[in-house]
Amino acid sequence: MRRSKSYFHVSVGNLNLDIVTYVRKPLEPDESLIAEALEIRPGGAAANYAVATSWFGHRAALISSISNQPLSMSALKAVSEKGVVTTHVKIVEDVPGMVIIMVYPDGNRSMIRYPGANQSLTPSDIPLDLLKEADVLHMASVNPALACEIASVAEKYVPLVSYDPGGFVSTARSRVLKTLKHVDILFLNKHEAHVITEGSVNRLETLNVELIVLRLGGKGALAINRDKAWYSRAEPVERPVDTTGSGDAFNALFNATYTETGSVEKALKYATAAGALKASCRSSFICGDKRVFRKQLMKTTVEPVSGSMSSVVTE
């Protein structure tokens, strides 16, 4: 895609150490498994988003708080080497943010999070000049109290503000809802959609946000823009092996394409294709070349949705 300008994203949230084990099945109580492989690698939703944005051809800056320990500094270098601006990342004396991940043969995974140094991030860590330069501000798995403060300032300067609250939907639902008045796009997965609507996904369109994008894993994705909705699904061109970071790649390509084109349909198609592409490699970052991505786009469909949202979400 040819671009008439260089779009700039500011990604706010975690840069973690992902401790990843590839196992044949989920653990049972008192059970011990031998991992087929183990990796310690950079990850975190905000870092994954920034890397995917850079991979797509947009500029990206990461705003995060990380440990000064060597493994965290190595993770920061890896993000920088992907083309992401990391000069605004705060470095503190604390335990690194970590995620323990178990990946199963179908590529799906379970995770245990420890926030560590990520918790030291504050609104003052985001330079106002950076917001004035940005085309997109994305907040990934950010505490809603912090997200609300950041977004209330960013909405004055940034054309597009998006929020993926992640697990905070379950632990701080009311605060997430209060944050939405400052947000243009809300990203959720299927579980989070049920939690935020208290089990009635048809109520998604009543939330106080312009655009809601719902990731359904291997079953596709749904975008709701007021009284209109679209459903997208990808037929993977390569076998899924690790879905870690797929949602973040999805979010990045949705925002990037929507910013360029203003088309929800096209943004949903590119996002769904990016999520499928990411799942095809053992990494928390998006991988693969643009040739494979173009093939994945050809295997990705988008269609309007009529009738009940719940029928799409629960099918």
Side-chain angles (χ1 to χ4, degrees):
M1 182 182 296
R2 294 181 179 178
R3 300 180 174 91
S4 59
K5 64 167 288 185
S6 177
Y7 294 92
F8 182 46
H9 299 235
V10 175
S11 181
V12 182
N14 299 343
L15 169 56
N16 291 321
L17 297 177
D18 285 352
I19 303 172
V20 186
T21 59
Y22 294 88
V23 295
R24 68 178 187 276
K25 70 181 191 66
L27 278 169
E28 301 290 343
D30 297 322
E31 184 181 18
S32 175
L33 289 178
I34 295 176
E36 297 173 2
L38 182 145
E39 297 180 2
I40 300 176
R41 67 196 192 202
N48 297 342
Y49 175 99
V51 168
T53 301
S54 180
W55 175 88
F56 186 60
H58 286 198
R59 294 185 299 128
L62 176 65
I63 302 292
S64 189
S65 175
I66 70 167
S67 169
N68 61 354
Q69 295 185 14
L71 281 175
S72 293
M73 299 306 296
S74 177
L76 182 63
K77 181 180 178 182
V79 173
S80 179
E81 289 173 347
K82 294 293 185 179
V84 176
V85 176
T86 59
T87 52
H88 303 287
V89 172
K90 181 165 71 174
I91 300 170
V92 299
E93 290 190 20
D94 200 349
V95 177
M98 297 185 184
V99 182
I100 300 171
I101 305 171
M102 288 183 290
V103 181
Y104 310 119
D106 63 357
N108 289 311
R109 79 275 191 259
S110 301
M111 300 187 293
I112 302 172
R113 305 176 187 272
Y114 181 75
N118 292 307
Q119 297 179 106
S120 295
L121 189 66
T122 68
S124 63
D125 295 322
I126 306 175
L128 186 58
D129 288 346
L130 203 65
L131 293 180
K132 291 179 178 179
E133 185 185 354
D135 298 289
V136 180
L137 174 82
H138 178 65
M139 301 174 293
S141 296
V142 173
N143 184 302
L146 176 60
C148 192
E149 284 194 64
I150 295 170
S152 65
V153 176
E155 65 178 340
K156 302 172 186 175
Y157 305 103
V158 185
L160 185 68
V161 177
S162 64
Y163 184 31
D164 184 342
F168 287 109
V169 170
S170 297
T171 60
R173 176 180 175 274
S174 62
R175 284 185 175 269
V176 170
L177 290 172
K178 289 178 181 178
T179 304
L180 298 186
K181 64 182 178 180
H182 304 297
V183 170
D184 301 303
I185 301 178
L186 173 67
F187 291 104
L188 301 167
N189 65 24
K190 180 177 177 180
H191 170 74
E192 293 154 3
H194 281 282
V195 172
I196 205 166
T197 61
E198 297 181 312
S200 180
V201 293
N202 284 326
R203 292 171 53 198
L204 281 170
E205 54 194 0
T206 68
L207 295 179
N208 185 29
V209 63
E210 178 182 342
L211 184 56
I212 299 166
V213 185
L214 178 58
R215 301 183 305 269
L216 304 173
K219 293 185 176 180
L222 181 71
I224 305 166
N225 186 203
R226 303 301 183 188
D227 58 343
K228 297 180 180 178
W230 297 265
Y231 172 70
S232 179
R233 190 159 190 168
E235 178 186 337
V237 296
E238 297 187 356
R239 185 177 70 86
V241 295
D242 187 348
T243 58
T244 307
S246 289
D248 307 315
F250 176 103
N251 295 350
L253 270 287
F254 188 95
N255 281 351
T257 308
Y258 186 64
T259 299
E260 287 190 8
T261 68
S263 168
V264 176
E265 293 177 74
K266 191 166 187 177
L268 188 62
K269 181 173 184 175
Y270 273 62
T272 304
L277 178 66
K278 161 62 218 46
S280 68
C281 63
R282 289 186 170 187
S283 171
S284 299
F285 296 159
I286 196 168
C287 51
D289 59 32
K290 300 295 173 57
R291 178 184 57 83
V292 179
F293 181 60
R294 287 192 293 270
K295 287 184 178 180
Q296 185 60 71
L297 279 171
M298 294 174 64
K299 294 288 187 178
T300 304
T301 58
V302 182
E303 59 187 19
V305 174
S306 58
S308 170
M309 300 295 169
S310 60
S311 63
V312 177
V313 176
T314 58
E315 71 170 8

